[in-house]
Amino acid sequence: MFDRIDAIVYKVSEYCNLDCVYCFQKYDTKTRTREFEYFDELLEFLKKLPLADDFEVKVTGGESSLHCDKIRKAYKKFKKLERYKECNISMTTISNGSNIEGLIDLWDDGILDPWGCKISWDGIYSASKSRKSKVPGYDDKFFNDTILKLGESPYSDKVLVRTACTPDTVRDLYAAYLYAYEMGIKKWEYYLLSDCDDYKDPLFLAVFQDQISQIFEHHKDCNEDKVVANIDSMLYVDKVIDEPQRLRAISCRHLGHFLHIGIDGSLYPCG
């Protein structure tokens, strides 16, 4: 473990302009305006590590797109590592999409690599069902328009749009997939929460199975490149590996190759 470091993640700031009902971060944490300040110490630390040839810096928050100017400054700092290490530095982020124009500017300017970036979007009823905005105007139409703008951009086939599978969104997963598809999005997936008791509920599972079945049926007939990022996993688990092997197939590709840097400069072996 840690014989090769592929990526780090750091928080550009703790503040978030949303209060999603399933977020694991505490409310008081997301209202703070603390920012990351330990770049010099972090760069000296990274110089001593066995970095991968292609090394990724993942920017998170809070909401990262509120700090596009700080991401630009951080990019210049991290690129200096290439003077000391034989590696290529790229930066990516995961955003709630509330500043899609700022993100597009960062992609246009080569600051962020769109291939590794993700937009979290909870479907066509994002604001009304699961996102609690701190800012007036962040309604369902606002977030749906974000998907439209991404679909119209040169990055519709590069940026991954992710929809959380929660008790609030599960009945609309197919509608979310279909809207993203119709808006020109070429990469979409649903994702599961790390801790959700509803996943054990037979009624929830029945709804979930119905939704992903509709997604699968539409996707296999659309005759285009893969839109649903989960599709390989669906096929692999269902058709390839048998029941005894399924549990063994669950593993983390990040552990041992990935470091999380806290807002206070603390270090963790996992994000």
Side-chain angles (χ1 to χ4, degrees):
M1 293 178 69
F2 301 107
D3 57 338
R4 184 194 74 247
I5 305 300
D6 295 327
I8 62 165
V9 59
Y10 84 96
K11 284 186 177 185
V12 64
S13 172
E14 289 183 311
Y15 178 77
C16 185
N17 50 358
L18 301 182
D19 190 26
C20 301
V21 296
Y22 55 84
C23 184
F24 64 89
Q25 295 195 75
K26 295 180 180 179
Y27 178 80
D28 63 337
T29 299
K30 293 182 289 184
T31 59
R32 299 174 188 162
T33 56
R34 272 201 309 174
E35 300 172 2
F36 188 79
E37 300 176 345
Y38 300 93
F39 288 103
D40 291 341
E41 294 87 345
L42 178 55
L43 291 173
E44 287 301 314
F45 175 67
L46 292 175
K47 289 178 186 178
K48 302 173 184 177
L49 297 182
L51 304 186
D53 292 342
D54 293 307
F55 182 71
E56 182 180 0
V57 177
K58 301 172 183 280
V59 188
T60 64
E63 172 48 34
S64 59
S65 70
L66 301 178
H67 306 280
C68 293
D69 56 335
K70 296 180 179 62
I71 291 175
R72 290 178 182 275
K73 293 177 182 177
Y75 175 80
K76 293 179 180 179
K77 293 179 184 291
F78 283 113
K79 289 296 280 185
K80 291 179 181 179
L81 269 175
E82 295 178 348
R83 302 175 187 174
Y84 306 94
K85 309 288 289 188
E86 293 185 6
C87 63
N88 177 56
I89 308 292
S90 65
M91 290 186 72
T92 62
T93 193
I94 181 166
S95 165
N96 63 29
S98 54
N99 183 16
I100 188 65
E101 292 84 2
L103 291 173
I104 289 175
D105 285 344
L106 291 174
W107 296 326
D108 285 345
D109 294 340
I111 304 299
L112 292 179
D113 180 359
W115 281 101
C117 290
K118 302 169 185 176
I119 298 291
S120 176
W121 170 67
D122 286 347
I124 57 177
Y125 304 112
S126 277
S128 57
K129 288 195 174 181
S130 64
R131 291 183 160 182
K132 308 301 179 184
S133 172
K134 301 169 186 172
V135 180
Y138 284 181
D139 54 12
D140 291 334
K141 183 179 185 304
F142 175 87
F143 290 112
N144 293 343
D145 285 348
T146 290
I147 302 305
L148 171 61
K149 292 173 184 176
L150 177 60
E152 293 175 340
S153 78
Y155 309 106
S156 61
D157 62 342
K158 300 175 179 65
V159 177
L160 176 65
V161 175
R162 311 183 78 217
T163 300
C165 182
T166 75
D168 300 301
T169 64
V170 65
R171 295 184 182 277
D172 304 303
L173 278 182
Y174 175 65
Y177 153 77
L178 197 60
Y179 180 84
Y181 174 82
E182 291 174 347
M183 293 303 105
I185 299 301
K186 302 299 185 185
K187 291 172 66 179
W188 175 90
E189 72 174 7
Y190 67 85
Y191 69 96
L192 303 177
L193 306 181
S194 58
D195 184 17
C196 181
D197 289 338
D198 289 272
Y199 293 166
K200 304 173 186 177
D201 184 347
L203 294 177
F204 178 95
L205 294 173
V207 173
F208 177 60
Q209 183 176 10
D210 175 67
Q211 292 291 306
I212 61 173
S213 294
Q214 292 184 66
I215 293 169
F216 185 86
E217 286 301 314
H218 181 275
H219 186 270
K220 72 181 180 66
D221 294 332
C222 67
N223 296 320
E224 292 190 25
D225 292 336
K226 293 172 184 173
V227 176
V228 183
N230 309 91
I231 204 73
D232 285 339
S233 297
M234 291 180 185
L235 291 169
Y236 180 71
V237 171
D238 188 48
K239 304 295 184 184
V240 179
I241 58 176
D242 56 24
E243 188 70 34
Q245 295 295 320
R246 291 182 186 179
L247 185 60
R248 295 180 61 188
I250 300 172
S251 62
C252 178
R253 63 187 178 88
H254 295 305
L255 189 61
H257 301 288
F258 184 96
L259 295 174
H260 177 88
I261 314 299
I263 195 78
D264 58 355
S266 53
L267 180 68
Y268 303 92
C270 181

